[in-house]
Amino acid sequence: MKTIIGTKQNVTKELTALVADVLAHKPEANIAVSAVDLPEEVLGALAKSDLAFDKATLFQACEYCGAAGKGVHAVGTAFQVLTAAKPFAAVHAPDPDADAEHAADYDAAIQAAGGLDLVILGLGERGHVAFNEPGAGFGEKTHIAKLAAAAPAFGSLEQTPEQGITIGIHTILGAKKIVLVAFGARCAKAVNATLTGRPETFTPASFLQLHTDVEVYLDEAAAAQL
């Protein structure tokens, strides 16, 4: 893993340059992004950049199941800051009404598009990525996951949807390139476990160590325990 540590401003600048390089080599790139735990500075920087995504396809990495996945607090609403500023050739999202049997249809759609060229993930404080919570299986594709914590938008665990549909670790590791982002002291323990511990289900992000092309972007606070 390549690790980039700096101020939020410098880190987002470096990340934007990476995305620019991906698009320069393949303007029609398939890019999966998880807005869950992804610092808002990242989507904001991409939206304000001079990057052109008009030939690229965006795959939303996860969404709440049921009505929550279609309401004002849906994960997909976080992408509006980017999609309003930068049109994509196509935008895809997991079906919030999909059942366990049909969840993996999303992986089939990704493969039909040619596979993922880039995945951009935020790191959660439990070591999770997207909705792959501790205990997530290494071989899982898109699946229905039980949510382990309250989402800030919903206020409390009781109000948070119980399930989400998410691309799995297998799906993520199938991408050509992976970017992981963590800002803030709350992520420091998870960063340490992800980068220095052995790959294990207790820290789903640690499985990224098994990929050959991963870049990790951290501010100083998130890197404090390295």
Side-chain angles (χ1 to χ4, degrees), residues 172-212:
I172 293 168
L173 293 178
K176 292 186 177 74
K177 190 175 192 68
I178 301 171
V179 167
L180 182 67
V181 189
F183 289 170
R186 70 179 185 85
C187 295
K189 183 177 180 181
V191 167
N192 178 273
T194 296
L195 301 187
T196 68
R198 63 182 179 85
E200 60 179 359
T201 60
F202 186 74
T203 307
S206 65
F207 284 119
L208 301 186
Q209 295 178 32
L210 303 178
H211 197 278
T212 58

Side-chain angles (χ1 to χ4, degrees), residues 98-125:
D99 56 22
E101 181 180 354
H102 295 94
D105 290 349
Y106 197 54
D107 276 77
I110 290 172
Q111 294 309 311
L116 296 174
D117 297 289
L118 175 65
V119 177
I120 301 176
L121 304 165
L123 176 65
E125 58 190 273

Side-chain angles (χ1 to χ4, degrees), residues 38 61 79 107 124 137 147 169 216 219:
L38 185 70
F79 290 97
D107 276 77
L147 303 180
I169 300 298
V216 183
D219 68 358

Side-chain angles (χ1 to χ4, degrees), residues 45-57:
L46 294 176
K48 294 175 183 176
S49 72
D50 59 1
L51 297 177
F53 291 93
D54 56 302
K55 295 180 180 179
T57 297

Side-chain angles (χ1 to χ4, degrees), residues 33-122:
V33 181
S34 172
V36 174
D37 298 302
L38 185 70
E40 61 183 14
E41 292 91 344
V42 174
L43 291 179
L46 294 176
K48 294 175 183 176
S49 72
D50 59 1
L51 297 177
F53 291 93
D54 56 302
K55 295 180 180 179
T57 297
L58 174 65
F59 285 91
Q60 182 180 320
C62 58
E63 186 54 88
Y64 297 115
C65 289
K70 296 172 280 188
V72 295
H73 298 309
V75 175
T77 60
F79 290 97
Q80 293 175 0
V81 65
L82 177 59
T83 55
K86 303 289 185 180
F88 284 76
V91 177
H92 300 282
D95 181 1
D97 292 326
D99 56 22
E101 181 180 354
H102 295 94
D105 290 349
Y106 197 54
D107 276 77
I110 290 172
Q111 294 309 311
L116 296 174
D117 297 289
L118 175 65
V119 177
I120 301 176
L121 304 165

Side-chain angles (χ1 to χ4, degrees), residues 4 12 31 77 109 119 156 167:
I4 296 91
T12 52
I31 304 173
T77 60
V119 177
S156 69
I167 61 173

